[in-house]
Amino acid sequence: MRTINHNLTSNRTYKRSITLPRGTLDLTYQTNLATNKNDLEQSDSYQLEDLLGFAQRINPKRAFLFVSKVLGRHVPVTPSTMRSAFTDLANLVPSDLPEPILVIGMAETAVGLSAGVHQALQTRYPQALLLNSTRHAQHDEDNDANGADSLLTTFCEDHSHASQHLIYQSKESLTQAQLLASKTLIMVDDEASTGNTCVNVVTALREAGLTQLEQVHLTTLVDWSLDQEKPNQQADTKPARMADRLVGIEFHRHHLLSGAWQWTDAPNPEPITMPSVDTTAAGSQALGHTSNWGRFPTLDSTDGFDDYLSSFQAAFTRFNDQESFDLTQLPKRILVLGSNEFVWLPFLLAEWLETASKKLSGDTTALVNFSALTRSPIALGGAITTMLSFSDNYGLGMTNFAYNVEPSDWDLIVLCIETSADSVDAMWRGLDNVLVVSPSL
């Protein structure tokens, strides 16, 4: 695993144009140069093609999509590749930050990324809290029907297919006190484009009681908003510099690749209709107990994984007609699918399976990949080669998607959900290589 100094330089500049049906995306970007502490040689850490593909959104707000190749969301990827990206990104964050520290991730795409960055950061900041935004309203017996008592704040992600986000507070007094006392906010997302989401999050948190924030660290796989940092910009160009928009806060950026984009509409592009996916309702399906992986503030996002692993082993034992779980019976090609925001424990399961497969025989044909179901509507083409569509398992009545997943390519697909097993669409239940792992309700 590579180690990256957070004092990277970014002095190799490239240009690229991507033509999509609705227009052209022109990129100017820089690759970070990692310095080897021993011999001071420099080498590119990540290239554009390592991190991204490109596709067309089914979204009138923004016509294009940066498709991550290391996130495990729209492109299946090995857990070890994801873990390296998590750790490399966390290594860019300085080691002298004021505490308490809050790591916050953006639903739904970045909730696994934020947990991975948080886990890596805890080697230096063991008391850092993790908190993810969510689009699933949370219910429990202590709150009213809308979960209002535990809701900390809301904010909007302006360009998203589902713009409204919820952020929950802790029911534990000590954790809640630490949350409100946060001095450093590490905001984790897959990419930054305008910086508007970061400003919206920080503003909402400060208004909700995080009045002691001193520093904000926007920590992304790719940052496309760096042209905003030029002084004396004209009002009709990009938004103002982040340092000027976050008054009274010291602002920093950390990323694996950076640059700027310019979009040009195609002549007479075809009109599109976006599916209805913008809701923060809870859905009719109850959520099972999967411990706390970040929908509420937590110190330990891995709490509950042992129980989750046991649930998988029991389900696989039944699926494979075994008397007890037998590691040697795992097939060679396994795809683990998280579902919407429920991706962190499924990722840890995929990582466990990848490690176990390598230990079994060293067979180079063995493969474990991870990806996830999503509500994001994306058009076929570019980085999106296949699309499965089906009803969501939360009982929201919306369409969900799985991209770049061909079921026949896999000996076993482990579909990980946080609702009951019978909540998944009949399409999945009709495939004989799909194992649904569901928590007890």
Side-chain angles (χ1 to χ4, degrees):
M1 183 179 296
R2 63 179 70 85
T3 299
I4 299 180
N5 189 315
H6 74 265
N7 293 316
L8 293 177
T9 60
S10 300
N11 58 3
R12 294 189 181 180
T13 301
Y14 305 85
K15 293 182 181 294
R16 182 174 171 184
S17 292
I18 296 95
T19 301
L20 297 168
R22 291 174 59 199
T24 301
L25 182 64
D26 291 306
L27 305 178
T28 301
Y29 64 95
Q30 298 173 330
T31 57
N32 286 335
L33 295 179
T35 300
N36 184 300
K37 294 180 180 179
N38 296 322
D39 57 20
L40 299 183
E41 290 182 358
Q42 291 185 323
S43 60
D44 289 324
S45 53
Y46 285 93
Q47 295 291 332
L48 180 71
E49 57 270 19
D50 297 329
L51 291 172
L52 292 177
F54 305 90
Q56 180 170 290
R57 291 174 182 256
I58 305 176
N59 185 340
K61 298 178 185 178
R62 181 179 291 177
F64 61 90
L65 179 69
F66 299 110
V67 181
S68 175
K69 295 180 180 180
V70 299
L71 196 58
R73 172 61 65 171
H74 305 122
V75 177
V77 63
T78 61
S80 54
T81 297
M82 296 171 64
R83 178 64 76 176
S84 291
F86 298 161
T87 304
D88 288 347
L89 188 56
N91 285 345
L92 301 179
V93 176
S95 295
D96 56 354
L97 301 180
E99 301 185 60
I101 293 172
L102 173 63
V103 178
I104 189 164
M106 300 295 100
E108 71 181 0
T109 303
V111 293
L113 176 64
S114 62
V117 169
H118 172 261
Q119 191 178 42
L121 282 171
Q122 283 191 312
T123 61
R124 290 178 284 148
Y125 300 108
Q127 295 304 307
L129 282 177
L130 171 67
L131 176 59
N132 288 315
S133 74
T134 180
R135 296 189 180 103
H136 290 285
Q138 300 297 293
H139 293 204
D140 65 46
E141 63 276 8
D142 297 325
N143 300 328
D144 65 22
N146 295 315
D149 288 348
S150 57
L151 187 65
L152 177 67
T153 189
T154 65
F155 71 91
C156 284
E157 185 180 10
D158 300 327
H159 67 270
S160 177
H161 56 278
S163 59
Q164 191 74 7
H165 290 246
L166 312 174
I167 299 179
Y168 284 90
Q169 58 192 339
S170 178
K171 293 181 289 184
E172 300 176 357
S173 58
L174 290 178
T175 303
Q176 180 66 10
Q178 178 179 334
L179 171 68
L180 295 176
S182 297
K183 292 185 178 180
T184 298
L185 176 70
I186 300 174
M187 178 174 159
V188 180
D189 211 347
D190 58 323
E191 55 101 357
S193 295
T194 64
N196 289 341
T197 301
C198 183
V199 173
N200 293 348
V201 170
V202 174
T203 301
L205 290 174
R206 294 172 89 178
E207 291 177 351
L210 277 72
T211 57
Q212 300 182 52
L213 284 177
E214 299 174 4
Q215 295 187 19
V216 170
H217 293 254
L218 180 58
T219 306
T220 56
L221 294 171
V222 182
D223 192 331
W224 294 112
S225 60
L226 293 189
D227 55 345
Q228 295 173 16
E229 297 308 292
K230 299 175 183 177
N232 303 318
Q233 289 198 103
Q234 298 298 316
D236 60 352
T237 59
K238 291 285 186 178
R241 292 190 311 155
M242 294 291 289
D244 298 330
R245 299 165 74 189
L246 296 174
V247 179
I249 287 182
E250 188 178 319
F251 179 71
H252 303 268
R253 302 173 183 271
H254 312 288
H255 42 262
L256 301 181
L257 184 142
S258 60
W261 56 263
Q262 181 67 45
W263 174 258
T264 304
D265 284 328
N268 303 313
E270 292 186 8
I272 62 168
T273 301
M274 185 172 69
S276 178
V277 295
D278 193 2
T279 178
T280 56
S284 61
Q285 294 288 339
L287 302 185
H289 179 66
T290 56
S291 294
N292 182 12
W293 38 266
R295 276 209 185 111
F296 295 90
T298 183
L299 279 174
D300 183 8
S301 63
T302 66
D303 180 40
F305 175 65
D306 289 343
D307 290 339
Y308 193 73
L309 178 59
S310 296
S311 295
F312 161 74
Q313 291 174 340
F316 182 77
T317 299
R318 293 190 298 269
F319 183 81
N320 214 36
D321 288 329
Q322 299 172 215
E323 292 186 2
S324 60
F325 179 74
D326 183 355
L327 198 62
T328 65
Q329 295 301 305
L330 290 173
K332 288 185 176 181
R333 299 180 61 82
I334 302 174
L335 174 65
V336 178
L337 290 175
S339 50
N340 297 78
E341 296 171 9
F342 183 58
V343 293
W344 179 239
L345 292 185
F347 162 76
L348 294 177
L349 172 61
E351 191 173 49
W352 183 89
L353 286 168
E354 183 183 31
T355 301
S357 296
K358 289 178 179 178
K359 286 181 178 178
L360 274 178
S361 63
D363 189 342
T364 57
T365 63
L367 177 66
V368 176
N369 270 6
F370 181 82
S371 192
L373 316 184
T374 177
R375 66 168 72 183
S376 300
I378 312 172
L380 283 171
I384 304 299
T385 58
T386 65
M387 176 182 67
L388 300 173
S389 60
F390 42 89
S391 296
D392 78 283
N393 59 290
Y394 291 94
L396 292 165
M398 71 169 63
T399 302
N400 275 190
F401 308 92
Y403 297 107
N404 296 313
V405 172
E406 176 52 61
S408 62
D409 289 343
W410 302 96
D411 301 322
L412 178 67
I413 298 176
V414 183
L415 177 55
C416 302
I417 58 174
E418 53 181 337
T419 51
S420 64
D422 60 5
S423 66
V424 301
D425 189 274
M427 184 206 78
W428 295 109
R429 297 199 304 269
L431 296 172
D432 59 10
N433 61 337
V434 173
L435 168 61
V436 177
V437 179
S438 170
S440 57
L441 298 176

